[in-house]
Amino acid sequence: MNITVIGTGYVGLVTGACLAEMGNSVLCVDNDQSKVEGLRKGQLPIYEPGLESLVQENSHADRLRFTTDIDAGIDHGEVIFIAVGTPPDEDGSADLKYVLQVAASIGESMSEYRVIVTKSTVPVGTSDKVRAKIQSVLDQRGVRCDFSVVSNPEFLKEGAAVEDFMKPDRIIIGTSDERALAIMRELYAPFNRNHERVITMDVPSAELTKYTANAMLATKISFMNEMANLAERLGADIESVRIGIGADPRIGYHFIYPGCGYGGSCFPKDVRALHRTAGDAGYDARILSAVEAVNTDQKKVPVEKLAAHFNGDLEGKTFTLWGLSFKPDTDDMRDAPSRVVIESLWRMGASVKAYDPVATDEARRVYGDRDDLVLNSEDPYEVLKDSDGLILVTEWRAFRAPDLGRVARTMHGDVIIDGRNILSPEAVRAAGLQYYGVGR
């Protein structure tokens, strides 16, 4: 098929590359000229395992192309994916201006039947707004042209997005249009060979499914963090509790790891947007409000533990962070706990050293060059020199079994704040270090 993807951010680029890998002719459109020029050279604006080679190979095979010409994209694609950003507005709702700008552009250029697919995470009712916008522009042009609007939300985990797209656990297609459904089934047939993964439903249900999925996962995280904070006060070990409840198949082990909060481009934004949607519908979503409040507080826990250890005086001290990205295998620092930790330390007069294998460039983009920030992507032990304490923020695999003796010898201080509970408290203490976990 000829496919157009408008927006080459995280979702759009993964979608375009994976569809091209299956033999489709994909044209990706973006209004950022420098980004498009970089993509044409095989230079990616994001880090995602396996994506760079996928883009380069399919570009070389001429199945994947990039342009700033949206008219060319609308002319090319039988199916047009809208994958532009929906940043949070000041009130927490999703800002649809970019989605609706694309819809207007489609209406201005479309001359024959197209399937318009909302791939961006959007509130319930967005597909209706897209349909209305396209139709109003067509009416202004005096053009009669059939089109369908389909909701096809993405369920991609950063750090495993290519794998998730190529081997999906479900493919949600929201439409009541049989013609559009047939086209979407044909498009996704190569991803559906092992067993039936397509789940069809009405458009509002498809839009709500995406938000509900992320809100449920965020709820599990905040609930476990709530229990971790309680465990500390009761003298229990949340890791033992986690194993005990995870053995129940109704609960399972996924997303019940306590820590220093969730971040990224999805959970924080989507929980806030869903809460706003509920409010607009006249419903007070109290659980969503609590999920967000618990997560906001949880990001403060590492520095609170550090401050308690030093009797509230962090002035003039230096602390090391292991991990900057909000999760492993990505360089994404949007709403990352590390940002709360770093900025809290600065407010208390401390300096920061940080190691992350891929996110230091992003940290430099966010914070610029500062005397109180040293970044390192080569050696996690180098940033321990002259440090008064170590805060483990991101659970990169390299941090699961560090040389604790070397940590103790290199670091000036002797305290470790394990914000992800991945170290053995006994091993840390055996190395002569003081250990603080979450709920332990």
Side-chain angles (χ1 to χ4, degrees), residues 13 33 56 84 106 160 217 254 268 273 290 334 344 351 382-383 432 435:
L13 193 54
Q33 181 69 47
Q56 292 172 350
V84 295
I106 293 171
L217 296 174
H254 294 297
R334 286 174 287 185
S344 297
S351 295
E382 177 68 26
V383 289
Y435 177 89

Side-chain angles (χ1 to χ4, degrees), residues 107-427:
E108 290 165 2
S109 295
M110 190 168 61
S111 59
E112 55 185 321
Y113 179 78
R114 292 288 183 262
V115 177
I116 316 301
V117 182
T118 54
K119 198 69 173 172
S120 304
T121 300
V122 293
V124 175
T126 299
S127 293
D128 290 340
K129 294 178 180 179
V130 168
R131 182 181 294 105
K133 175 62 74 173
I134 294 172
Q135 189 60 59
S136 70
V137 176
L138 288 173
D139 291 343
Q140 291 170 14
R141 292 172 56 203
V143 173
R144 295 190 63 181
C145 183
D146 288 339
F147 67 95
S148 303
V149 178
V150 172
S151 175
N152 176 220
E154 54 84 15
F155 297 94
L156 307 177
K157 298 186 295 291
E158 291 195 40
V162 172
E163 180 77 7
D164 286 346
F165 198 104
M166 300 300 277
K167 297 179 181 178
D169 45 24
R170 77 278 210 200
I171 300 167
I172 303 293
I173 299 175
T175 183
S176 56
D177 185 321
E178 290 300 323
R179 181 180 181 184
L181 179 58
I183 291 171
M184 294 299 290
R185 283 190 179 277
E186 181 183 348
L187 176 62
Y188 279 114
F191 304 91
N192 207 31
R193 290 174 61 85
N194 182 267
H195 64 273
E196 181 61 58
R197 293 181 171 91
V198 171
I199 302 172
T200 62
M201 59 186 70
D202 58 87
V203 171
S205 296
E207 291 172 333
L208 185 57
T209 295
K210 169 63 178 179
Y211 275 112
T212 303
N214 280 354
M216 172 61 81
L217 296 174
T219 299
K220 293 182 74 173
I221 295 169
S222 280
F223 178 80
M224 283 304 292
N225 283 331
E226 187 101 292
M227 293 302 100
N229 296 333
L230 179 59
E232 285 189 9
R233 288 157 176 79
L234 298 178
D237 185 346
I238 195 63
E239 287 302 305
S240 296
V241 175
R242 178 184 65 80
I243 293 169
I245 67 170
D248 185 332
R250 297 171 300 174
I251 299 173
Y253 291 103
H254 294 297
F255 282 85
I256 59 169
Y257 290 89
C260 50
Y262 60 76
S265 63
C266 294
F267 288 5
K269 175 174 70 72
D270 292 353
V271 169
R272 288 192 288 265
L274 186 55
H275 186 260
R276 175 68 185 190
T277 296
D280 290 344
Y283 181 73
D284 181 14
R286 291 166 292 173
I287 290 178
L288 294 178
S289 180
V291 167
E292 175 70 10
V294 168
N295 190 60
T296 297
D297 289 344
Q298 200 67 18
K299 293 178 181 180
K300 304 172 187 175
V301 165
V303 175
E304 289 173 353
K305 289 178 179 290
L306 203 61
H309 178 81
F310 286 99
N311 297 315
D313 183 16
L314 304 185
E315 182 77 34
K317 293 182 170 57
T318 298
F319 297 101
T320 296
L321 268 69
W322 274 3
L324 291 166
S325 57
F326 84 94
K327 64 180 287 188
D329 296 316
T330 180
D331 61 352
D332 195 343
M333 287 182 62
R334 286 174 287 185
D335 272 310
S338 65
R339 297 177 66 160
V340 175
V341 171
I342 289 170
E343 292 160 22
S344 297
L345 290 171
W346 284 338
R347 282 194 297 271
M348 298 184 74
S351 295
V352 175
K353 295 183 176 184
Y355 167 83
D356 191 288
V358 300
T360 53
D361 286 345
E362 178 64 9
R364 199 169 284 111
R365 185 193 69 79
V366 171
Y367 293 119
D369 293 323
R370 300 175 53 124
D371 293 337
D372 52 5
L373 178 62
V374 175
L375 300 170
N376 186 309
S377 61
E378 303 296 329
D379 185 355
Y381 298 97
E382 177 68 26
V383 289
L384 291 172
K385 292 179 180 177
D386 301 319
S387 178
D388 294 288
L390 169 63
I391 310 171
L392 200 156
V393 183
T394 312
E395 63 275 31
W396 286 94
R397 284 184 291 275
F399 302 155
R400 293 183 181 180
D403 185 340
L404 293 171
R406 185 177 176 186
V407 171
R409 292 191 302 272
T410 307
M411 196 162 57
H412 171 71
D414 66 351
V415 59
I416 291 182
I417 309 294
D418 183 1
R420 297 298 177 184
N421 284 0
I422 62 174
L423 301 178
S424 161
E426 294 77 18

